[in-house]
Amino acid sequence: MPELLTTSLPDYISAGLEQVAREQGFTDGLYRFESESGSNMGDGFVGQLLKVFIREADRELVVLCKLLPDNEMRKQQGVPLFDRETDAYVKILPMLLKFQREKALPEHVPQFDNVPRCYYAKTTVDKMESVIIMEDLRLQAFRMWDKANPVDFEHARLLMVTLGRLHALSFALKDQQPEEFAQCREFTDPMGKMLDLDPTKAFEKMMAGMCRRAIDTLEKHDTFRREKLQQLEKRCVQEIVACVDGKAAEPYAIVGHGDCWSNNMMFQYQEDNETPSYIKLIDWQLSRYGSPVLDLVYFIFNCTDEEMRSDSYHRLLNIYYHSLSEHLHNLGGDVERQYPRSAFREQLKKFGRYGLVMSMMVLPIICTPNDELPNTDTAMEGFMNDMNNGNTEAELVYGTTEKAAIRYKKRMSGCIRDCIRYGYI
């Protein structure tokens, strides 16, 4: 394994690692850093991971450094997202967890503790520098679900329970310490900043293309559903912006994870190595103040399939609502007053289409096996060049291989059928 001297890393990364080393009790001048790549092909789409070993004598601490991509264009797009994740780890999550700790809940009462330990996070937007240093969950036998397969009920159930507790923290803090909670309201959707940096409306054109591709998964004679989707085609971005607007979700807006798909969660397993026992939510780059249902529909429509939804869609929503109700009660709140079931149903009707619109963008990636993924830099640059040259038919080359296309057709058409069946579009 190659040794990296501290000087061979950019100063802002070295500074972060040195602070972590000091805080963890390593001796100045006696420790060293060694590193290797920290991620597998297909694990991350917005940044790169560097695995760093902090070593002194017979002691070692392993950390993961999450860094901006080297590619200049992707770096510009990524900075607002890294800035958001930094704020999530440094300000918002510590505030929510501190509130929970101060409640001094009995040990047997389940709590929200489903985030990795973050040792250090700093983003300097104007310099386009960012590093987030956290624990490597793989050392505790956490692993990802294979994104190409729809999750099973047990994985989905565990996430619903976890999201219920996460959202309950916001509801309780918002009610009991409104002044403290005020900074959460500033957590507007970070994609807005990205859209501001998109003068050619490339994202809008891409989404229209993704919508046309989604329509093509339906049978030719399915005119009813095709027409429903055609009404969305030119409005995809406006629909996303409307759904993520925190003000539109009041008085029920909370801080959500924002990017709830299977690559952004890691699981520990029971002895059978199949039944998940514990989950950690990673990648908080799209965390935002908005409707609680955004996390639910984003996950369910991207990570489960039509078959599971026909059996378990309402059951999963009930599991979430029960978990929210229970944890809110434990935190001194009251679900009937703060988020009655009628309001939950109304929010699903109002924002449920978010799951479908986002699946147009995310499912092609999910359905592409890791060994068939294109190089992200090349794919993005090719797409942007196409767009800038006026090719409105350009699309990202995900989900286009034979295996991926079959998966995509099945999963996407199922999403459309279910969203219409639930009355979301």
Side-chain angles (χ1 to χ4, degrees), residues 356-377:
L356 173 66
V357 181
M358 292 306 287
S359 69
M360 294 174 189
M361 185 165 55
V362 178
L363 270 181
I365 298 169
I366 286 178
C367 292
T368 306
N370 283 353
D371 58 358
E372 293 181 5
L373 282 171
N375 176 285
T376 311
D377 289 346

PDB file of all heavy atoms in Angstrom, residues 356-377:
ATOM      1  N   LEU A 356     -42.264   9.607  -8.675  1.00  0.00           N
ATOM      2  CA  LEU A 356     -42.265   9.240 -10.091  1.00  0.00           C
ATOM      3  C   LEU A 356     -41.295  10.096 -10.889  1.00  0.00           C
ATOM      4  O   LEU A 356     -40.493   9.581 -11.676  1.00  0.00           O
ATOM      5  CB  LEU A 356     -43.679   9.381 -10.676  1.00  0.00           C
ATOM      6  CG  LEU A 356     -43.771   9.178 -12.194  1.00  0.00           C
ATOM      7  CD1 LEU A 356     -43.443   7.737 -12.571  1.00  0.00           C
ATOM      8  CD2 LEU A 356     -45.146   9.557 -12.725  1.00  0.00           C
ATOM      9  N   VAL A 357     -41.344  11.416 -10.704  1.00  0.00           N
ATOM     10  CA  VAL A 357     -40.488  12.298 -11.505  1.00  0.00           C
ATOM     11  C   VAL A 357     -39.008  11.999 -11.228  1.00  0.00           C
ATOM     12  O   VAL A 357     -38.189  11.940 -12.143  1.00  0.00           O
ATOM     13  CB  VAL A 357     -40.817  13.790 -11.237  1.00  0.00           C
ATOM     14  CG1 VAL A 357     -39.936  14.692 -12.090  1.00  0.00           C
ATOM     15  CG2 VAL A 357     -42.281  14.076 -11.551  1.00  0.00           C
ATOM     16  N   MET A 358     -38.668  11.757  -9.948  1.00  0.00           N
ATOM     17  CA  MET A 358     -37.275  11.446  -9.633  1.00  0.00           C
ATOM     18  C   MET A 358     -36.867  10.073 -10.169  1.00  0.00           C
ATOM     19  O   MET A 358     -35.708   9.860 -10.534  1.00  0.00           O
ATOM     20  CB  MET A 358     -37.044  11.517  -8.118  1.00  0.00           C
ATOM     21  CG  MET A 358     -37.145  12.914  -7.548  1.00  0.00           C
ATOM     22  SD  MET A 358     -36.069  14.140  -8.358  1.00  0.00           S
ATOM     23  CE  MET A 358     -34.473  13.644  -7.730  1.00  0.00           C
ATOM     24  N   SER A 359     -37.818   9.145 -10.243  1.00  0.00           N
ATOM     25  CA  SER A 359     -37.467   7.814 -10.750  1.00  0.00           C
ATOM     26  C   SER A 359     -37.084   7.876 -12.237  1.00  0.00           C
ATOM     27  O   SER A 359     -36.308   7.059 -12.715  1.00  0.00           O
ATOM     28  CB  SER A 359     -38.607   6.814 -10.525  1.00  0.00           C
ATOM     29  OG  SER A 359     -39.711   7.112 -11.351  1.00  0.00           O
ATOM     30  N   MET A 360     -37.616   8.864 -12.953  1.00  0.00           N
ATOM     31  CA  MET A 360     -37.216   9.021 -14.360  1.00  0.00           C
ATOM     32  C   MET A 360     -35.714   9.271 -14.465  1.00  0.00           C
ATOM     33  O   MET A 360     -35.064   8.844 -15.420  1.00  0.00           O
ATOM     34  CB  MET A 360     -37.964  10.198 -15.000  1.00  0.00           C
ATOM     35  CG  MET A 360     -39.451   9.979 -15.126  1.00  0.00           C
ATOM     36  SD  MET A 360     -40.234  11.511 -15.720  1.00  0.00           S
ATOM     37  CE  MET A 360     -41.963  11.072 -15.525  1.00  0.00           C
ATOM     38  N   MET A 361     -35.162   9.953 -13.482  1.00  0.00           N
ATOM     39  CA  MET A 361     -33.741  10.279 -13.476  1.00  0.00           C
ATOM     40  C   MET A 361     -32.904   9.178 -12.821  1.00  0.00           C
ATOM     41  O   MET A 361     -31.814   8.846 -13.287  1.00  0.00           O
ATOM     42  CB  MET A 361     -33.543  11.606 -12.722  1.00  0.00           C
ATOM     43  CG  MET A 361     -32.135  12.111 -12.735  1.00  0.00           C
ATOM     44  SD  MET A 361     -32.014  13.847 -12.238  1.00  0.00           S
ATOM     45  CE  MET A 361     -32.816  13.887 -10.648  1.00  0.00           C
ATOM     46  N   VAL A 362     -33.431   8.586 -11.737  1.00  0.00           N
ATOM     47  CA  VAL A 362     -32.619   7.679 -10.919  1.00  0.00           C
ATOM     48  C   VAL A 362     -32.688   6.220 -11.395  1.00  0.00           C
ATOM     49  O   VAL A 362     -31.689   5.494 -11.347  1.00  0.00           O
ATOM     50  CB  VAL A 362     -33.044   7.789  -9.430  1.00  0.00           C
ATOM     51  CG1 VAL A 362     -32.263   6.832  -8.557  1.00  0.00           C
ATOM     52  CG2 VAL A 362     -32.858   9.221  -8.940  1.00  0.00           C
ATOM     53  N   LEU A 363     -33.844   5.773 -11.878  1.00  0.00           N
ATOM     54  CA  LEU A 363     -33.979   4.359 -12.261  1.00  0.00           C
ATOM     55  C   LEU A 363     -33.007   3.902 -13.353  1.00  0.00           C
ATOM     56  O   LEU A 363     -32.515   2.774 -13.280  1.00  0.00           O
ATOM     57  CB  LEU A 363     -35.424   4.040 -12.668  1.00  0.00           C
ATOM     58  CG  LEU A 363     -36.351   3.566 -11.541  1.00  0.00           C
ATOM     59  CD1 LEU A 363     -37.743   3.258 -12.075  1.00  0.00           C
ATOM     60  CD2 LEU A 363     -35.794   2.337 -10.815  1.00  0.00           C
ATOM     61  N   PRO A 364     -32.713   4.733 -14.373  1.00  0.00           N
ATOM     62  CA  PRO A 364     -31.728   4.259 -15.354  1.00  0.00           C
ATOM     63  C   PRO A 364     -30.382   3.922 -14.711  1.00  0.00           C
ATOM     64  O   PRO A 364     -29.709   2.971 -15.109  1.00  0.00           O
ATOM     65  CB  PRO A 364     -31.596   5.450 -16.322  1.00  0.00           C
ATOM     66  CG  PRO A 364     -32.900   6.158 -16.224  1.00  0.00           C
ATOM     67  CD  PRO A 364     -33.318   6.024 -14.786  1.00  0.00           C
ATOM     68  N   ILE A 365     -29.993   4.703 -13.695  1.00  0.00           N
ATOM     69  CA  ILE A 365     -28.721   4.441 -12.997  1.00  0.00           C
ATOM     70  C   ILE A 365     -28.850   3.177 -12.152  1.00  0.00           C
ATOM     71  O   ILE A 365     -27.983   2.303 -12.167  1.00  0.00           O
ATOM     72  CB  ILE A 365     -28.337   5.651 -12.109  1.00  0.00           C
ATOM     73  CG1 ILE A 365     -28.132   6.897 -12.974  1.00  0.00           C
ATOM     74  CG2 ILE A 365     -27.080   5.351 -11.289  1.00  0.00           C
ATOM     75  CD1 ILE A 365     -28.003   8.186 -12.195  1.00  0.00           C
ATOM     76  N   ILE A 366     -29.961   3.069 -11.418  1.00  0.00           N
ATOM     77  CA  ILE A 366     -30.179   1.914 -10.557  1.00  0.00           C
ATOM     78  C   ILE A 366     -30.198   0.616 -11.370  1.00  0.00           C
ATOM     79  O   ILE A 366     -29.686  -0.412 -10.924  1.00  0.00           O
ATOM     80  CB  ILE A 366     -31.507   2.086  -9.777  1.00  0.00           C
ATOM     81  CG1 ILE A 366     -31.326   3.133  -8.669  1.00  0.00           C
ATOM     82  CG2 ILE A 366     -31.989   0.769  -9.185  1.00  0.00           C
ATOM     83  CD1 ILE A 366     -32.571   3.416  -7.868  1.00  0.00           C
ATOM     84  N   CYS A 367     -30.779   0.663 -12.551  1.00  0.00           N
ATOM     85  CA  CYS A 367     -30.950  -0.557 -13.349  1.00  0.00           C
ATOM     86  C   CYS A 367     -29.690  -0.948 -14.121  1.00  0.00           C
ATOM     87  O   CYS A 367     -29.664  -1.998 -14.760  1.00  0.00           O
ATOM     88  CB  CYS A 367     -32.113  -0.392 -14.327  1.00  0.00           C
ATOM     89  SG  CYS A 367     -33.714  -0.288 -13.485  1.00  0.00           S
ATOM     90  N   THR A 368     -28.663  -0.117 -14.078  1.00  0.00           N
ATOM     91  CA  THR A 368     -27.411  -0.445 -14.753  1.00  0.00           C
ATOM     92  C   THR A 368     -26.472  -1.150 -13.778  1.00  0.00           C
ATOM     93  O   THR A 368     -26.082  -0.562 -12.775  1.00  0.00           O
ATOM     94  CB  THR A 368     -26.717   0.838 -15.277  1.00  0.00           C
ATOM     95  OG1 THR A 368     -27.643   1.565 -16.083  1.00  0.00           O
ATOM     96  CG2 THR A 368     -25.488   0.495 -16.101  1.00  0.00           C
ATOM     97  N   PRO A 369     -26.112  -2.426 -14.042  1.00  0.00           N
ATOM     98  CA  PRO A 369     -25.180  -3.115 -13.137  1.00  0.00           C
ATOM     99  C   PRO A 369     -23.858  -2.346 -13.058  1.00  0.00           C
ATOM    100  O   PRO A 369     -23.457  -1.678 -14.016  1.00  0.00           O
ATOM    101  CB  PRO A 369     -24.966  -4.481 -13.821  1.00  0.00           C
ATOM    102  CG  PRO A 369     -26.078  -4.628 -14.800  1.00  0.00           C
ATOM    103  CD  PRO A 369     -26.490  -3.244 -15.197  1.00  0.00           C
ATOM    104  N   ASN A 370     -23.193  -2.429 -11.902  1.00  0.00           N
ATOM    105  CA  ASN A 370     -21.962  -1.661 -11.698  1.00  0.00           C
ATOM    106  C   ASN A 370     -20.915  -1.912 -12.775  1.00  0.00           C
ATOM    107  O   ASN A 370     -20.194  -1.004 -13.181  1.00  0.00           O
ATOM    108  CB  ASN A 370     -21.371  -1.962 -10.312  1.00  0.00           C
ATOM    109  CG  ASN A 370     -22.131  -1.244  -9.217  1.00  0.00           C
ATOM    110  OD1 ASN A 370     -23.020  -0.432  -9.493  1.00  0.00           O
ATOM    111  ND2 ASN A 370     -21.823  -1.531  -7.971  1.00  0.00           N
ATOM    112  N   ASP A 371     -20.832  -3.175 -13.256  1.00  0.00           N
ATOM    113  CA  ASP A 371     -19.791  -3.467 -14.251  1.00  0.00           C
ATOM    114  C   ASP A 371     -20.148  -2.925 -15.639  1.00  0.00           C
ATOM    115  O   ASP A 371     -19.357  -3.005 -16.567  1.00  0.00           O
ATOM    116  CB  ASP A 371     -19.495  -4.972 -14.323  1.00  0.00           C
ATOM    117  CG  ASP A 371     -20.729  -5.796 -14.671  1.00  0.00           C
ATOM    118  OD1 ASP A 371     -21.825  -5.204 -14.819  1.00  0.00           O
ATOM    119  OD2 ASP A 371     -20.605  -7.025 -14.807  1.00  0.00           O
ATOM    120  N   GLU A 372     -21.342  -2.370 -15.779  1.00  0.00           N
ATOM    121  CA  GLU A 372     -21.733  -1.783 -17.066  1.00  0.00           C
ATOM    122  C   GLU A 372     -21.878  -0.266 -16.990  1.00  0.00           C
ATOM    123  O   GLU A 372     -22.302   0.380 -17.947  1.00  0.00           O
ATOM    124  CB  GLU A 372     -23.065  -2.390 -17.543  1.00  0.00           C
ATOM    125  CG  GLU A 372     -22.975  -3.862 -17.895  1.00  0.00           C
ATOM    126  CD  GLU A 372     -24.294  -4.439 -18.392  1.00  0.00           C
ATOM    127  OE1 GLU A 372     -25.261  -3.657 -18.559  1.00  0.00           O
ATOM    128  OE2 GLU A 372     -24.363  -5.654 -18.622  1.00  0.00           O
ATOM    129  N   LEU A 373     -21.548   0.319 -15.838  1.00  0.00           N
ATOM    130  CA  LEU A 373     -21.696   1.769 -15.685  1.00  0.00           C
ATOM    131  C   LEU A 373     -20.691   2.504 -16.555  1.00  0.00           C
ATOM    132  O   LEU A 373     -19.517   2.130 -16.610  1.00  0.00           O
ATOM    133  CB  LEU A 373     -21.481   2.182 -14.224  1.00  0.00           C
ATOM    134  CG  LEU A 373     -22.631   1.951 -13.257  1.00  0.00           C
ATOM    135  CD1 LEU A 373     -22.166   2.204 -11.835  1.00  0.00           C
ATOM    136  CD2 LEU A 373     -23.818   2.845 -13.579  1.00  0.00           C
ATOM    137  N   PRO A 374     -21.125   3.586 -17.226  1.00  0.00           N
ATOM    138  CA  PRO A 374     -20.170   4.399 -17.980  1.00  0.00           C
ATOM    139  C   PRO A 374     -19.310   5.210 -17.021  1.00  0.00           C
ATOM    140  O   PRO A 374     -19.659   5.390 -15.858  1.00  0.00           O
ATOM    141  CB  PRO A 374     -21.078   5.327 -18.805  1.00  0.00           C
ATOM    142  CG  PRO A 374     -22.333   5.438 -17.997  1.00  0.00           C
ATOM    143  CD  PRO A 374     -22.495   4.118 -17.291  1.00  0.00           C
ATOM    144  N   ASN A 375     -18.185   5.705 -17.510  1.00  0.00           N
ATOM    145  CA  ASN A 375     -17.369   6.615 -16.714  1.00  0.00           C
ATOM    146  C   ASN A 375     -18.164   7.911 -16.497  1.00  0.00           C
ATOM    147  O   ASN A 375     -18.622   8.534 -17.448  1.00  0.00           O
ATOM    148  CB  ASN A 375     -16.064   6.915 -17.478  1.00  0.00           C
ATOM    149  CG  ASN A 375     -15.212   7.944 -16.749  1.00  0.00           C
ATOM    150  OD1 ASN A 375     -15.522   9.134 -16.751  1.00  0.00           O
ATOM    151  ND2 ASN A 375     -14.158   7.488 -16.131  1.00  0.00           N
ATOM    152  N   THR A 376     -18.354   8.287 -15.233  1.00  0.00           N
ATOM    153  CA  THR A 376     -19.246   9.420 -14.927  1.00  0.00           C
ATOM    154  C   THR A 376     -18.757  10.722 -15.567  1.00  0.00           C
ATOM    155  O   THR A 376     -19.544  11.493 -16.109  1.00  0.00           O
ATOM    156  CB  THR A 376     -19.382   9.601 -13.402  1.00  0.00           C
ATOM    157  OG1 THR A 376     -19.684   8.334 -12.824  1.00  0.00           O
ATOM    158  CG2 THR A 376     -20.506  10.553 -13.055  1.00  0.00           C
ATOM    159  N   ASP A 377     -17.427  10.975 -15.495  1.00  0.00           N
ATOM    160  CA  ASP A 377     -16.894  12.203 -16.096  1.00  0.00           C
ATOM    161  C   ASP A 377     -17.202  12.255 -17.586  1.00  0.00           C
ATOM    162  O   ASP A 377     -17.699  13.253 -18.114  1.00  0.00           O
ATOM    163  CB  ASP A 377     -15.366  12.282 -15.901  1.00  0.00           C
ATOM    164  CG  ASP A 377     -14.986  12.561 -14.459  1.00  0.00           C
ATOM    165  OD1 ASP A 377     -15.881  12.959 -13.687  1.00  0.00           O
ATOM    166  OD2 ASP A 377     -13.815  12.378 -14.107  1.00  0.00           O
TER     167      ASP A 377
END
